Amino acid sequence: MAPVPPERHLLRAKDLVDARYREPLDVPALARAAFVSPAHFSRQFRRTFGETPHQYLLTRRLERAAELLRNTDRSVADICLTVGLQSVGSFTTSFRRVYGLSPTEYRAAHPPTERARVPTCILRAYGRPVSSSFREDSRAARD
């Protein structure tokens, strides 16, 4: 049996951040998920993914915050706490650094869009797997 590449273990930690970004996650907890020491984990994570574990976690949190700002009317403070950040001031500073606007300005620049109603038949047609093995699909492709 071949040894598991170290990057595979790092993906466990990355998946943990993606799934549980709201929770207080630190380097030792992520290193435990990757089955390596915290110092080794930080070096390998940065080398593999191009950013530190903390930067990656903050990026996930800010992406979720931006989505909540676009699609809800929740307060900035509530969104800050919802995505796992503790300080509205540092949230605003980090958000401005990444998006170039404060959270309030970002919300004003990205008003919620009207939800377009798409007929069910269209959803089913476009939701169908591309590599389908149905006979009628192969006939339609020949016609």
Side-chain angles (χ1 to χ4, degrees):
M1 189 166 141
V4 178
E7 293 79 16
R8 182 80 178 244
H9 291 297
L10 294 176
L11 285 174
R12 288 184 187 164
K14 191 175 180 193
D15 290 343
L16 180 67
V17 170
D18 291 339
R20 296 170 47 190
Y21 63 88
R22 292 178 182 98
E23 299 175 18
L25 295 171
D26 56 5
V27 170
L30 296 173
R32 279 191 303 277
F35 303 112
V36 295
S37 72
H40 182 70
F41 171 75
S42 291
R43 282 191 306 272
Q44 284 298 109
F45 194 94
R46 184 180 182 110
R47 187 176 303 134
T48 303
F49 300 116
E51 59 187 344
T52 66
H54 176 73
Q55 289 169 327
Y56 184 78
L57 175 60
L58 183 60
T59 300
R60 295 291 78 72
R61 288 175 171 170
L62 293 176
E63 286 173 352
R64 179 64 178 147
E67 192 264 327
L68 290 170
L69 287 165
R70 285 191 309 270
N71 297 315
T72 69
D73 60 352
R74 295 165 71 174
S75 71
V76 171
D78 184 39
I79 289 173
C80 170
L81 297 173
T82 299
V83 298
L85 297 169
Q86 302 301 315
S87 166
V88 176
S90 60
F91 166 63
T92 302
T93 301
S94 297
F95 195 92
R96 184 184 297 275
R97 190 178 317 119
V98 171
Y99 290 96
L101 302 168
S102 73
T104 306
E105 294 166 341
Y106 183 86
R107 175 177 273 160
H110 298 88
T113 57
E114 291 285 329
R115 297 275 181 201
R117 290 193 37 93
V118 179
T120 305
C121 60
I122 301 297
L123 290 174
R124 287 185 181 156
Y126 282 94
R128 218 172 180 183
V130 176
S131 60
S132 176
S133 61
F134 294 114
R135 284 187 294 243
E136 58 268 9
D137 287 346
S138 60
R139 268 190 263 148
R142 283 183 270 152
D143 293 337

